[in-house]
Amino acid sequence: MTSIPYTLPRDWPLGRMIGAGVLALVAAFAVFGPMLVPGDPFAQSLMQSLSGPEAGAPFGYDHLGRSLYHRLAHALRLSPVIALAAVATAGAAGLVLGTLAAARGGWVERLLVILADALMALPGLLLVLIVLAIMPGTATGFWAGLSLVLWVEFFRLTRAATRATLASPAVEASRLLGFGWPYILHRHLWPEIAPLMLTAAAFGTATAIMGIAALGFVSVGMRAPTPELGLMMVELLPYWREAPMALLTPVIATFTLLFGLTLLAGGQK
């Protein structure tokens, strides 16, 4: 009997494996943490203001006597969900428009490139602020503004990769053999674009989370009492002497989340 050789799948780089593990731990805390220790992120008890950890609040309390544990779990669901929604929208738009620009060329490509360059000329946070001025303090406003900023990077990457792939001999051979666009997209374009999209998506998610936190820190993001990482920092900053660990809680959570995303995007063996 002739044996069929079996090839193990290519391992992920160690950095990406660590990043995925860190993100899995953060996601597990955000989803299952409130189940392990039931509580309300909005409930106040001024008698517990800035007090230390206890069974019902393992991370202690903030200045209004709200459980930092439950507010942090809520914040770690809110910011990543908004960021992932924005990245998914921007990635889909960039993938479609980048492929269209590279495939059609001519005035279609010139028009899309001019539009992308015009958006690139403006600071990203300014565009988000303009959208938030129309839809202030809402998750929808963040999603729309971040999508408007992030699609340009996906568009540029897709356009560059698609143009190079479409000019390759393999694609020319597929065309001569009569294969249509669905086959070319599946067989030639997507394998080249997918790794770039993964890296861009991880960096884009980190950028979106930093943008949400930065706007929250300057009090133009989500509105109180919504638990959000940047808003939690700015609320606790005046009390850093009395309760430094309360302030460090959202800081450490934000750093851990961004650290995991950065490793996932660019980890090497």
Side-chain angles (χ1 to χ4, degrees):
M1 179 182 294
T2 303
S3 61
I4 300 175
Y6 176 76
T7 304
L8 291 173
R10 186 178 181 181
D11 292 334
W12 259 19
L14 178 60
R16 284 190 171 176
M17 294 178 64
I18 295 174
V22 170
L23 294 177
L25 290 175
V26 172
F29 167 73
V31 174
F32 300 110
M35 299 179 186
L36 297 176
V37 184
D40 185 358
F42 300 97
Q44 298 183 18
S45 175
L46 295 179
M47 297 294 292
Q48 302 285 349
S49 178
L50 299 178
S51 60
E54 62 179 30
F59 296 162
Y61 295 87
D62 67 2
H63 60 299
L64 295 177
R66 298 172 297 192
S67 170
L68 287 171
Y69 178 91
H70 298 95
R71 290 183 65 77
L72 186 64
H74 189 284
L76 287 174
R77 292 196 301 268
L78 177 64
S79 295
V81 166
I82 296 174
L84 288 173
V87 166
T89 304
L95 183 63
V96 172
L97 295 177
T99 304
L100 177 65
R104 294 295 299 273
W107 67 269
V108 174
E109 183 177 20
R110 288 195 297 272
L111 182 62
L112 290 172
V113 170
I114 290 172
L115 176 61
D117 290 343
L119 291 175
M120 284 285 288
L122 295 173
L125 287 180
L126 177 60
L127 290 175
V128 180
L129 282 173
I130 292 172
V131 177
L132 286 176
I134 303 171
M135 296 179 286
T138 63
T140 304
F142 274 108
W143 164 76
L146 291 169
S147 299
L148 187 63
V149 172
L150 294 174
W151 79 271
V152 176
E153 189 64 29
F154 289 97
F155 167 78
R156 291 160 66 94
L157 287 173
T158 302
R159 173 173 166 264
T162 301
R163 288 185 68 179
T165 305
L166 290 178
S168 66
V171 173
E172 291 294 332
S174 296
R175 286 174 172 170
L176 291 174
L177 291 172
F179 291 108
W181 270 104
Y183 176 85
I184 293 174
L185 288 171
H186 173 72
R187 182 66 179 85
H188 299 291
L189 293 181
W190 181 244
E192 295 293 329
I193 296 173
L196 299 176
M197 292 296 102
L198 174 62
T199 300
F203 276 125
T205 304
T207 300
I209 291 172
M210 285 191 293
I212 296 170
L215 292 174
F217 191 79
V218 296
S219 301
V220 293
M222 305 300 289
R223 294 178 175 177
T226 303
E228 189 274 319
L229 295 171
L231 185 57
M232 290 176 66
M233 293 180 206
V234 75
E235 287 178 339
L236 291 165
L237 186 59
Y239 308 98
W240 68 273
R241 290 182 183 273
E242 295 89 338
M245 286 307 302
L247 174 61
L248 285 176
T249 298
V251 173
I252 293 173
T254 304
F255 172 80
T256 304
L257 190 56
L258 296 178
F259 177 69
L261 287 167
T262 303
L263 286 180
L264 183 64
Q268 299 294 328
K269 287 186 179 181

